C-alpha cells in the first residue's frame, strides 16, 4: 500500500529535471521550477513557476512556445490523459504574472475560479 501511495506524490528530481531542464533552454526563460503530482494512474496536477527576463507586454508571447513544449511533455507523460490540472504561473522580470490559460483566450483568463486541465491545451496545440 505504501508503494501505491508513493506513486501519487511528486516525481523524483531526475524525472522533474527532464521537464525543467529543456524549459530553461528557451530564450527569455531564467528558471523553471515545475513538478507533477499524481504519478501512475492518479494524475492530478502540474504546479510551479517559470521565470522570464521579459516584462508584462512580452510575457505571454515568451510563454507560448515554452508552454507548447510543456504540453507535449505532459501529453507523452500521461498518454493523452486530459485531466491533469494546470497550476503554473509565469513570472516577468517586472514582477508581472500570467497563467498559461491566458494563452487559450479571454474566456479562460476571465474565469479565475475555474480549474484548467491539460485537455484544453492538448486541443489548443493540436495534439488531439
Amino acid at each position: 500500500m505504501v508503494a501505491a501511495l508513493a506513486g501519487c506524490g511528486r516525481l523524483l528530481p531526475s524525472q522533474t529535471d527532464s521537464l525543467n531542464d529543456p524549459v530553461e533552454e528557451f530564450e527569455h526563460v531564467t528558471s523553471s521550477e515545475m513538478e507533477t503530482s499524481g504519478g501512475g494512474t492518479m494524475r492530478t496536477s502540474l504546479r510551479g513557476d517559470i521565470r522570464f527576463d521579459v516584462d508584462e507586454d512580452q510575457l505571454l508571447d515568451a510563454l507560448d512556445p515554452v508552454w507548447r513544449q510543456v504540453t507535449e511533455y505532459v501529453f507523452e507523460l500521461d498518454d493523452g490523459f486530459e485531466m491533469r490540472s494546470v497550476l503554473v504561473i509565469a513570472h516577468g522580470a517586472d514582477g508581472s504574472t500570467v497563467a498559461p490559460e491566458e494563452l487559450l483566450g479571454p474566456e479562460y483568463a476571465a474565469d479565475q475560479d475555474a480549474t484548467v486541465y491539460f485537455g484544453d491545451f492538448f486541443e489548443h496545440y493540436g495534439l488531439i
Side-chain angles (χ1 to χ4, degrees):
M1 181 150 162
V2 172
L5 291 175
C8 296
R10 296 180 177 155
L11 289 175
L12 298 173
S14 62
Q15 292 172 304
T16 304
D17 289 346
S18 66
L19 172 59
N20 288 308
D21 289 347
V23 166
E24 289 177 350
E25 297 296 318
F26 274 87
E27 182 178 16
H28 302 297
V29 174
T30 59
S31 71
S32 176
E33 299 168 358
M34 292 181 287
E35 62 187 20
T36 61
S37 63
T41 60
M42 298 179 69
R43 303 169 190 110
T44 57
S45 68
L46 178 73
R47 61 183 65 238
D49 300 285
I50 306 171
R51 300 192 184 282
F52 292 83
D53 66 3
V54 298
D55 292 336
E56 183 177 20
D57 61 332
Q58 297 174 313
L59 188 54
L60 206 54
D61 288 336
L63 176 61
D64 190 34
V66 172
W67 198 250
R68 174 184 285 277
Q69 179 167 326
V70 169
T71 299
E72 290 171 355
Y73 175 90
V74 171
F75 185 81
E76 294 286 324
L77 177 70
D78 290 347
D79 296 321
F81 178 76
E82 301 176 8
M83 297 307 293
R84 187 181 293 271
S85 61
V86 178
L87 303 168
V88 175
I89 299 295
H91 301 266
D94 61 354
S96 60
T97 60
V98 297
E101 55 262 28
E102 292 183 42
L103 294 167
L104 298 173
E107 65 278 3
Y108 286 91
D111 192 357
Q112 296 179 0
D113 294 329
T115 301
V116 177
Y117 296 98
F118 266 97
D120 296 314
F121 292 103
F122 296 165
E123 185 176 328
H124 177 74
Y125 290 117
L127 299 175
I128 55 171

